[in-house]
């Protein structure tokens, strides 16, 4: 269960990374989360993220802009290392916020909004399977 004001990461199923966001994420919590994702990018390995935003009620405007800035600053490693992202969204207001960020900065990798964890995991498993197929095809050449 995530802490009330911190994001929780689980990489036990790597290269599938789970990120659970609490109902309220203070600015410092956002910075900690972005720093953690940056560290995963520095590994140099391809991976996929499932972001569970089902507890999030609203994303403050300044946090949305901070996310846009971070996406700009990490565009190249994201393009090279992200297999995809599945975002679990339960609230129409949060979906609108996510859509606004993605409109401002479309992601350079496959992404989907899902209503629940099982849908997100099914999509993620398919993406990982496709990635493994591409990797295997590349090795046989």
């Amino acid at each position: 269960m995530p802490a009330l004001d911190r994001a929780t990461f689980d990489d036990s199923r790597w290269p599938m990374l789970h990120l659970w966001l609490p109902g309220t994420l203070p600015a410092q919590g956002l910075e900690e989360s972005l720093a953690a994702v940056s560290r995963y990018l520095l590994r140099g390995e391809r991976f996929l993220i499932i972001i569970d935003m089902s507890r999030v009620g609203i994303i403050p405007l300044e946090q949305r802009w901070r996310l846009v800035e971070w996406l700009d600053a990490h565009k190249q490693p994201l393009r090279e290392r992200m297999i995809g992202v599945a975002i679990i969204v339960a609230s129409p207001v949060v979906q609108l916020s996510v859509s606004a960020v993605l409109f401002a900065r479309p992601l350079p990798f496959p992404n989907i909004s899902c209503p629940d964890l099982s849908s997100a995991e099914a999509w993620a498993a398919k993406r990982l399977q496709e990635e493994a197929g591409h990797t295997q095809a590349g090795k046989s050449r």
Side-chain angles (χ1 to χ4, degrees):
M1 184 70 70
L4 295 178
D5 63 349
R6 301 190 99 165
T8 304
F9 289 85
D10 177 5
D11 61 7
S12 64
R13 295 173 59 194
W14 189 262
M16 186 185 303
L17 174 65
H18 282 235
L19 166 57
W20 285 273
L21 295 174
T24 301
L25 188 63
Q28 180 181 345
L30 175 64
E31 293 303 322
E32 290 171 359
S33 298
L34 294 175
V37 175
S38 296
R39 287 190 298 274
Y40 284 109
L41 288 170
L42 287 173
R43 287 183 175 189
E45 302 172 50
R46 292 189 45 81
F47 66 102
L48 180 140
I49 299 180
I50 295 176
I51 303 173
D52 188 336
M53 298 181 73
S54 61
R55 295 176 182 262
V56 174
I58 192 161
I59 304 169
L61 182 59
E62 57 276 358
Q63 289 188 6
R64 284 180 265 162
W65 280 116
R66 176 62 184 115
L67 184 54
V68 167
E69 290 172 356
W70 186 88
L71 289 168
D72 284 344
H74 294 82
K75 186 184 306 184
Q76 191 60 34
L78 286 166
R79 180 175 288 129
E80 294 171 357
R81 297 186 187 110
M82 289 300 300
I83 297 168
V85 63
I87 305 169
I88 302 168
V89 181
S91 160
V93 173
V94 174
Q95 181 62 57
L96 185 61
S97 294
V98 169
S99 295
V101 170
L102 296 180
F103 179 79
R105 292 301 178 274
L107 298 176
F109 47 81
N111 59 86
I112 190 171
S113 288
C114 299
D116 54 49
L117 181 60
S118 61
S119 301
E121 286 185 335
W123 182 85
K126 182 178 177 189
R127 286 292 307 137
L128 290 170
Q129 189 174 41
E130 290 169 358
E131 175 73 8
H134 291 304
T135 303
Q136 293 302 322
K139 287 181 180 177
S140 64
R141 292 182 184 174

